[in-house]
């Protein structure tokens, strides 16, 4: 069966800050099946979850701080209010990716967070940027992470940043297999500090990436950090691109 399509709501953060409910309703009207949050919930995580349920949007993941230290209870309470069982760590300090020792220390922290998540019925994943795929001491950081992370820590592969780092995202997705159930799909020139585009208007071989993950991808998640055109239009176009080419499954065959 074709993989369902979700939107990382960070993409529409400016509009969500002005009108959370109205913006989420537009996302549902476009045909997106799922949403992924990134610390924006309107009035509260619980109210956001009610809105998602009303609109039939699956809460397929939440970008979140690690459930450790002073933030532990707040993180667990937020995931509970959202009724979401996937906690995704979207960022660790880039300066730690400059040595193998630093990379291993990140893995130790992620494993500690994963143990807490596991104890509360959650699974913990990690979302990459470019620096996890740039060589450090003749190693690719993600390869080091695979050696040191607990086996139940999954990867959400951001294919745009993989390619920006000089790697082949289809090969990465194929190699990670079931370890990477979530893919962040975005497009553009794959150059640092240059705006992204709607899907299909850049250099990423999106059909090749989707094919590489066909046996293991559970969600295709559209995300644009920034865009050279109107963001809402780009979100529309990205949905149309994936659905129109049979690469993903949505609630509407065409807009």
């Amino acid at each position: 069966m074709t993989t369902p399509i979700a939107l990382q709501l960070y993409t529409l953060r400016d509009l969500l800050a002005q009108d959370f409910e109205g913006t989420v309703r537009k996302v549902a009207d476009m045909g997106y099946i799922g949403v992924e949050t990134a610390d924006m919930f309107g009035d509260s995580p619980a109210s956001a979850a009610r809105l998602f349920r009303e609109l039939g949007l699956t809460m397929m993941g939440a970008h979140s701080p690690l459930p450790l230290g002073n933030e532990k209870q707040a993180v667990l309470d937020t995931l509970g209010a959202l009724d979401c069982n996937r906690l995704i760590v979207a960022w660790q300090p880039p300066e730690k990716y400059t040595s193998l020792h630093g990379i291993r220390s990140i893995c130790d922290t992620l494993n500690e967070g994963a143990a807490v998540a596991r104890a509360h019925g959650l699974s913990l994943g990690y979302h990459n940027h470019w620096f996890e795929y740039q060589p450090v001491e003749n190693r690719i950081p993600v390869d080091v992470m695979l050696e040191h992370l607990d086996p139940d820590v999954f990867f959400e592969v951001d294919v745009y940043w993989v390619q920006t780092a000089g790697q082949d995202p289809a090969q990465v997705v194929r190699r990670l297999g079931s370890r990477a159930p979530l893919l962040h799909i975005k497009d553009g020139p794959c150059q640092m500090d240059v705006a992204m585009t709607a899907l299909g208007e850049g250099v990423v071989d999106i059909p090749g990436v989707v094919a590489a993950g066909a046996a293991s991808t559970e969600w295709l998640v559209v995300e644009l950090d920034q865009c050279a055109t109107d963001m809402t239009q780009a979100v529309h176009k990205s949905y149309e691109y994936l659905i129109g080419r049979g690469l993903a499954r949505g609630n509407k065959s065409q807009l």
Side-chain angles (χ1 to χ4, degrees):
M1 180 181 289
T2 311
T3 308
I5 184 174
L7 180 70
Q8 166 51 262
L9 292 178
Y10 176 79
T11 304
L12 297 175
R13 57 196 176 277
D14 293 338
L15 293 174
L16 288 166
Q18 299 169 22
D19 180 3
F20 185 88
E21 180 175 339
T23 302
V24 172
R25 288 186 181 278
K26 288 179 181 178
V27 171
D29 287 343
M30 290 181 198
Y32 281 90
I33 293 177
V35 289
E36 183 178 58
T37 60
D39 291 329
M40 295 187 73
F41 310 112
D43 293 334
S44 69
S47 66
R50 285 194 296 272
L51 177 62
F52 299 152
R53 287 193 295 269
E54 175 195 334
L55 298 174
L57 290 167
T58 298
M59 178 71 187
M60 45 68 54
H63 281 199
S64 169
L66 281 158
L68 298 174
N70 293 334
E71 294 186 280
K72 174 182 174 180
Q73 195 57 51
V75 168
L76 294 173
D77 288 347
T78 296
L79 270 290
L82 290 170
D83 193 23
C84 178
N85 60 11
R86 274 198 178 111
L87 186 161
I88 301 153
V89 179
W91 184 265
Q92 288 290 281
E95 58 270 20
K96 288 195 174 184
Y97 288 89
T98 57
S99 71
L100 296 183
H101 173 75
I103 296 166
R104 293 186 188 107
S105 73
I106 287 172
C107 292
D108 291 341
T109 302
L110 292 173
N111 285 338
E112 184 181 356
V116 173
R118 194 181 307 119
H120 291 82
L122 307 173
S123 59
L124 185 139
Y126 183 78
H127 168 282
N128 66 276
H129 289 80
W130 63 92
F131 40 83
E132 297 93 341
Y133 284 91
Q134 292 180 322
V136 174
E137 299 179 29
N138 298 315
R139 298 290 308 278
I140 299 298
V142 164
D143 292 341
V144 180
M145 296 175 79
L146 282 166
E147 294 171 358
H148 292 276
L149 285 176
D150 291 343
D152 62 347
V153 176
F154 66 88
F155 288 87
E156 180 175 63
V157 178
D158 188 308
V159 302
Y160 186 87
W161 289 126
V162 170
Q163 186 159 329
T164 301
Q167 307 296 326
D168 182 337
Q171 288 184 7
V172 167
V173 169
R174 190 177 297 111
R175 181 167 60 87
L176 287 174
S178 60
R179 194 74 183 266
L182 309 179
L183 301 184
H184 263 203
I185 304 294
K186 58 182 69 166
D187 207 352
C190 288
Q191 298 174 24
M192 295 297 295
D193 302 319
V194 180
M196 298 167 186
T197 67
L199 301 189
E201 297 179 2
V203 300
V204 179
D205 177 13
I206 294 171
V209 168
V210 173
S216 53
T217 306
E218 297 179 22
W219 285 92
L220 294 176
V221 186
V222 173
E223 182 194 42
L224 299 173
D225 301 31
Q226 54 182 322
C227 191
T229 61
D230 178 81
M231 189 63 89
T232 302
Q233 291 181 0
V235 170
H236 274 262
K237 287 183 178 180
S238 296
Y239 180 92
E240 290 178 323
Y241 175 86
L242 288 174
I243 302 303
R245 286 159 181 76
L247 300 173
R249 171 168 51 87
N251 279 328
K252 294 185 178 179
S253 59
Q254 60 183 123
L255 298 177

